[in-house]
Amino acid sequence: MSDDLIRLTATEAVARLRRREVSPLELVEAAAARIAAVEPAVNALPTLCLDRARDHARRIMAGEGAEKAGQPGWLGGLPVSIKDLTDVAGVRTTYGSPIFKDHVPTTSHPVVQRIEALGGIVIGKSNTPEFGAGGSTFNEVFGRTRNPWNTSLTCGGSTGGGAVSLATGEAWLAQGTDHAGSLRRPGTYCSVVGIRPSPGRVTRGSVNNLFSPLSVQGPMARNILDLALFLDTMASWDPTDPLTYDAPAVPYAEAVRATGAWRPRVAFTLDYGGALAVDRETRAICEAAIGRFAELGCVVEEASPELGELAEALLVLRSQHFVVDREIQLRDRRDLLKPDIVWNTERGLAATPSQLAWADRERARFYREMARIFGRFDVFVTPSAPTPAFDVMLRAPESIAGRKLDNYMGGSMLNATMTLAGSPAVAVPCGFDQHGRPVGLQVAAPPRREEVALRAAALFEQASGLDRLLPIDPRPGVVPPPEA
């Protein structure tokens, strides 16, 4: 019975909860059994809070929160995972850092408060790189999280543990964060879906970068309808976050269900006119997948906005985030910070006012280019990662398509472009390479038009059927050789 339950989609499980065909406690026990079975192979949820989850399940079964059962995003007792960057009251939350290895917050992050108020049950904390910095999920507190499609490979980062918890059936939904692809690349590497919402769509609560649009909170799931459901759970105005605004009049899950005969106008690029390195096989798989939109009756045209010096602008702007967040730790606990965080923070401290001003001008230029594209097209589609999952022992790929990377952020620009454009962007699976590694598309829409990106991704998902492969049992394998 528990195996049958973990194979339900989130939408199916919530429907059964509403009809009382299954109880929240039964789902918690099904998740616990699955975690015990697969966790030794993947290390996705290193911190569990199953007794806390059981207590919450019993409260829901006793009628707690029943007055909210008609709201969009009501989960009714569905188990979810929460990224270890995000506070859960009474549950060890380390941020992946030795500095906070024993930290137990007394108050939950506002997004967790909202998820729990709408019937989500937290079963555990998902693994993340230290302070979320990195494209591969490992840290000095909990070690490495492995890709269930091939446990010799990375699951990506930084919401890597969340992606793996979904792909293996440990949880039905996963909360995460995204700065330069942290909800999208792990989704691609694990063949699940994730959306980076527009800044302000989901509260970031008590972070110190409250007025910056770069880092956001968001959902991951096994399919697009489940993703829309969880975004409905999270989306709201919140007084603790000045960028937030009201949830949409039409819930995202309702918009996805109403996709029907709608056919979006699709612009695409595979590599921004050669400006970004993308593996040959990934290019071929993604090009064929984009062709599916044309087969479905969509207008599909290539469009390549000028990247210019956007990669350098990202590093300048991103490094200021690290100054705000890590300057004090760099001063007081430098020996406990990993080199990437030291590098980013020192880079930010060395930036001049002219460099900061230039980076903002470069970001504004690119935003205007994307606005012109969105004036003609509904969505903008690219590969969701430039290369499939790489060796789990590496912090980043050493090269992509023969081009050596200058730094650990070198493989993130396909995702970071949409971060800098302020666009909501969905990662959706589109196939597998010759070694069985998942490949995905990134479907972006104009700012605050999450429903457009979700509907277009759902249209593709319905045609591909790849969501029906999940969940999977972890599979051992070898590391394929890098593409020359």
Side-chain angles (χ1 to χ4, degrees):
M1 179 64 174
S2 64
D3 189 61
D4 292 339
L5 291 177
I6 65 102
R7 297 186 181 282
L8 295 174
T9 68
T11 302
E12 291 168 344
V14 169
R16 292 198 183 188
L17 286 165
R18 286 181 182 274
R19 296 192 298 264
R20 298 191 177 183
E21 296 173 358
V22 66
S23 73
L25 195 56
E26 286 176 302
L27 293 182
V28 169
E29 297 304 343
R34 184 63 173 173
I35 290 167
V38 303
E39 191 61 17
V42 293
N43 189 33
L45 300 177
T47 299
L48 300 178
C49 50
L50 294 173
D51 286 340
R52 183 182 185 278
R54 292 178 180 110
D55 289 343
H56 191 188
R58 293 185 185 101
R59 294 198 304 272
I60 291 173
M61 292 164 68
E64 181 182 282
E67 73 282 0
K68 298 183 179 180
Q71 291 188 20
W74 172 247
L75 300 178
L78 188 72
V80 304
S81 65
I82 301 293
K83 190 173 182 176
D84 200 31
L85 296 183
T86 307
D87 286 355
V88 176
V91 180
R92 183 186 184 195
T93 302
T94 73
Y95 319 122
S97 167
I99 298 171
F100 293 96
K101 62 184 177 64
D102 299 316
H103 174 58
V104 179
T106 57
T107 303
S108 291
H109 186 283
V111 76
V112 175
Q113 293 178 26
R114 182 168 174 83
I115 290 167
E116 293 193 316
L118 286 172
I121 296 178
V122 179
I123 56 169
K125 305 301 298 294
S126 63
N127 205 21
T128 179
E130 184 178 341
F131 296 121
S136 185
T137 295
F138 66 92
N139 58 62
E140 295 300 320
V141 183
F142 297 121
R144 300 176 188 276
T145 299
R146 296 174 178 270
N147 193 315
W149 293 92
N150 178 342
T151 55
S152 294
L153 303 177
T154 181
C155 58
S158 63
T159 316
V164 174
S165 75
L166 294 168
T168 56
E170 293 181 308
W172 285 264
L173 298 169
Q175 171 271 346
T177 62
D178 190 298
H179 185 114
S182 291
L183 284 160
R184 292 165 282 167
R185 283 199 40 210
T188 293
Y189 286 175
C190 295
S191 201
V192 298
V193 295
I195 181 171
R196 174 193 164 85
S198 305
R201 179 58 74 196
V202 178
T203 180
R204 295 157 303 144
S206 58
V207 298
N208 289 321
N209 282 294
L210 276 175
F211 293 87
S212 170
L214 294 181
S215 289
V216 300
Q217 296 264 346
M220 300 184 79
R222 297 182 206 161
N223 64 50
I224 297 297
L225 183 57
D226 289 357
L227 190 68
L229 168 69
F230 204 22
L231 185 56
D232 282 326
T233 307
M234 295 182 180
S236 69
W237 173 80
D238 179 54
T240 69
D241 186 337
L243 298 189
T244 54
Y245 43 91
D246 290 339
V250 177
Y252 293 117
E254 184 177 330
V256 167
R257 286 192 177 98
T259 296
W262 175 72
R263 293 296 180 265
R265 297 163 297 165
V266 178
F268 79 93
T269 184
L270 296 172
D271 57 8
Y272 288 86
L276 298 181
V278 178
D279 278 354
R280 285 192 304 273
E281 190 176 5
T282 295
R283 284 174 54 93
I285 293 168
C286 290
E287 187 170 22
I290 291 166
R292 298 289 288 273
F293 282 108
E295 294 169 6
L296 291 167
C298 302
V299 172
V300 179
E301 294 182 20
E302 189 166 6
S304 186
E306 178 61 43
L307 282 191
E309 297 297 320
L310 199 65
E312 176 61 21
L314 169 71
L315 291 178
V316 171
L317 296 168
R318 175 181 169 86
S319 291
Q320 292 310 303
H321 251 258
F322 280 83
V323 174
V324 173
D325 286 341
R326 302 295 151 228
E327 182 181 22
I328 294 173
Q329 276 101 26
L330 183 67
R331 183 193 66 200
D332 298 341
R333 308 299 297 273
R334 182 189 181 102
D335 59 316
L336 294 178
L337 295 174
K338 72 177 183 178
D340 295 332
I341 293 174
V342 173
W343 173 72
N344 270 129
T345 309
E346 289 186 334
R347 202 180 196 281
L349 289 167
T352 67
S354 290
Q355 288 172 323
L356 297 176
W358 168 83
D360 259 331
R361 291 193 296 269
E362 188 69 1
R363 172 168 54 179
R365 176 199 62 78
F366 183 74
Y367 176 87
R368 288 189 286 267
E369 289 218 17
M370 288 305 306
R372 284 192 287 272
I373 288 176
F374 285 131
R376 297 177 50 221
F377 298 94
D378 297 301
V379 293
F380 180 67
V381 180
T382 72
S384 193
T387 180
F390 48 90
D391 190 338
V392 72
M393 302 307 293
L394 298 177
R395 61 198 256 276
E398 296 174 350
S399 63
I400 298 173
R403 297 190 203 177
K404 185 174 176 59
L405 301 187
D406 294 332
N407 56 70
Y408 81 98
M409 291 296 295
S412 298
M413 279 308 296
L414 282 168
N415 304 126
T417 51
M418 294 303 97
T419 296
L420 295 174
S423 287
V426 178
V428 59
C430 73
F432 298 86
D433 76 351
Q434 62 183 308
H435 303 290
R437 296 178 294 181
V439 176
L441 295 179
Q442 176 178 244
V443 181
R448 300 195 180 190
R449 297 302 307 274
E450 282 81 1
E451 77 283 358
V452 175
L454 287 165
R455 291 174 72 198
L459 187 67
F460 179 84
E461 180 183 80
Q462 290 161 13
S464 75
L466 292 172
D467 59 300
R468 294 190 285 274
L469 299 179
L470 299 175
I472 63 168
D473 295 326
R475 306 169 182 176
V478 299
V479 178
E483 186 174 272

